[in-house]
Amino acid sequence: MRKVLKDEKLEAEFQQNGFVTIPFISAEEVELLKQKFFDTLPNSGGQITADETGVQDSRLITYDFTFIDKNPEYKKEVFDIITEYFKPHMERLLADYRPIIANYIRKKSADGEVPLHQNWAFADEMKCNTISIWCPLVDSTIENGTLQVVPGSHKRFGKYRGPMVPWELDNIKQDIIENHLVPIETKAGHCMILDDSIVHYSAINKTEGLRLAIQLICIPAEMPSVHYHMNPSKSMQEIDVLEVDVDFYMQFNPWKMPVGAKKVETLSFTKNLITADEFSARLKQPRFDETQPVKKNLFTRIKEVFA
Ligand SMILES: [Fe+2]
């Protein structure tokens, strides 16, 4: 498997749990990035509203994030700011990754629940891990709605993830929230580097203060970025694999038909909703990118016979 982190110990921890938490940017950089958020905010085109998305579930958006801003120029401005500040730290820690989506995520007081989900897939996960660098700009605590994850859930569910692809954990979200999540409190300027396929969630901000964080989604530098697109009015059994770039995401409205992207493949898809028991069982089984042990054993046995 292609490496994510340069440090071997951190890499092992990441592959085991699906995330690591480490010091990332300086206190001074935290303040500057906070200031930049407010300085650039007047350029925001406002968030895409529920009506504009044209789908029912859009009411679930209870937090602000740059990705669904209506102004691509503002998204580009935020991308350039965040990538500039993060670059030296990414180079220090990561094994040659490049950024594709940058977000400021703002939870206001008494708001900001992010439903249980996995991030979309951004590259072929059979060959690599795509990651989110999640870096709070204020101390992130249980009270203000820190990130919560299911450790070890990465690459075990929802292999093909995109905005319209049915999610196999859809029926058991509440069970997972109640029984499997671990809140990860993270200091301002530290970061969580998480596999985009890890199951995660965050609760509302119960404090008076603003909870501001940055998310930078990154993929291996040499890998093409892909987007799994389903058009339910056409077929629920097919997913188009689109090869996309940073600009695709700048222009993107997550719930509308993507235009102009190159289709590289069509995958067949079967909707499957799993039970809570299956979820627990699958957490202990091999990841979808791991060689099945039976094949390894067979190979070992053949080698023994001919040794
Ligand atoms: Fe997420």
Side-chain angles (χ1 to χ4, degrees), residues 180-211:
H180 291 278
L181 286 171
V182 178
I184 311 292
E185 297 200 307
T186 309
K187 285 194 162 54
H190 287 217
C191 78
M192 255 179 97
I193 295 176
L194 53 144
D195 188 299
D196 283 310
S197 65
I198 199 167
V199 177
H200 60 287
Y201 164 85
S202 71
I204 64 164
N205 174 10
K206 290 184 197 150
T207 69
E208 291 300 312
L210 176 79
R211 221 279 331 251

Side-chain angles (χ1 to χ4, degrees), residues 114 117-119 132 147 194 200 215:
V114 181
H117 68 285
Q118 295 173 272
N119 296 345
S132 283
L147 206 55
L194 53 144
H200 60 287
Q215 177 196 24

Side-chain angles (χ1 to χ4, degrees), residues 56-303:
Q56 286 172 330
D57 280 355
S58 54
R59 65 185 159 71
L60 295 174
I61 303 166
T62 55
Y63 51 101
D64 293 353
F65 63 119
T66 315
F67 188 64
I68 56 166
D69 199 275
K70 282 193 253 183
N71 182 6
E73 301 300 319
Y74 170 68
K75 287 170 77 172
K76 175 87 171 65
E77 197 179 4
V78 166
F79 183 87
D80 289 345
I81 292 165
I82 291 173
T83 53
E84 184 196 330
Y85 278 83
F86 278 20
K87 193 167 185 259
H89 305 288
M90 286 174 63
E91 282 173 357
R92 177 168 49 88
L93 294 165
L94 297 171
D96 199 16
Y97 271 64
R98 65 182 169 104
I100 54 164
I101 296 174
N103 276 313
Y104 276 112
I105 307 168
R106 177 171 56 164
K107 281 176 188 253
K108 290 176 186 161
S109 193
D111 205 350
E113 182 184 29
V114 181
L116 190 82
H117 68 285
Q118 295 173 272
N119 296 345
W120 300 341
F122 295 103
D124 184 348
E125 292 184 346
M126 294 300 281
K127 295 183 181 148
C128 68
N129 304 78
T130 81
I131 56 158
S132 283
I133 302 171
W134 181 80
C135 176
L137 301 179
V138 296
D139 290 349
S140 188
T141 61
I142 290 173
E143 289 72 34
N144 68 12
T146 197
L147 206 55
Q148 304 191 32
V149 301
V150 182
S153 60
H154 58 304
K155 297 204 184 204
R156 289 190 164 84
F157 308 95
K159 189 171 170 187
Y160 304 121
R161 306 180 310 281
M164 302 305 284
V165 181
W167 192 38
E168 62 181 345
L169 308 183
D170 227 19
N171 276 353
I172 53 169
K173 286 185 286 206
Q174 200 50 40
D175 184 275
I176 296 171
I177 289 169
E178 284 164 20
N179 298 310
H180 291 278
L181 286 171
V182 178
I184 311 292
E185 297 200 307
T186 309
K187 285 194 162 54
H190 287 217
C191 78
M192 255 179 97
I193 295 176
L194 53 144
D195 188 299
D196 283 310
S197 65
I198 199 167
V199 177
H200 60 287
Y201 164 85
S202 71
I204 64 164
N205 174 10
K206 290 184 197 150
T207 69
E208 291 300 312
L210 176 79
R211 221 279 331 251
L212 189 63
I214 285 174
Q215 177 196 24
L216 187 67
I217 301 175
C218 305
I219 66 173
E222 74 284 3
M223 294 286 294
S225 178
V226 297
H227 179 72
Y228 292 115
H229 175 69
M230 175 180 276
N231 181 353
S233 64
K234 201 176 118 200
S235 170
M236 296 284 284
Q237 279 84 45
E238 278 184 2
I239 297 171
D240 286 339
V241 184
L242 307 178
E243 202 170 295
V244 298
D245 55 18
V246 171
D247 194 52
F248 173 84
Y249 291 112
M250 294 288 172
Q251 307 295 335
F252 197 57
N253 173 336
W255 292 271
K256 282 189 178 160
M257 218 18 223
V259 280
K262 184 174 119 195
K263 183 163 93 177
V264 285
E265 201 182 346
T266 299
L267 303 166
S268 64
F269 177 82
T270 309
K271 185 177 173 180
N272 176 37
L273 294 169
I274 69 169
T275 64
D277 286 346
E278 281 175 88
F279 180 82
S280 300
R282 232 203 267 176
L283 280 174
K284 299 184 194 104
Q285 289 166 7
R287 297 165 19 167
F288 56 61
D289 64 336
E290 284 172 332
T291 314
Q292 296 301 310
V294 61
K295 284 184 192 159
K296 274 188 198 160
N297 293 342
L298 183 63
F299 183 64
T300 309
R301 282 206 301 273
I302 291 167
K303 261 185 29 186

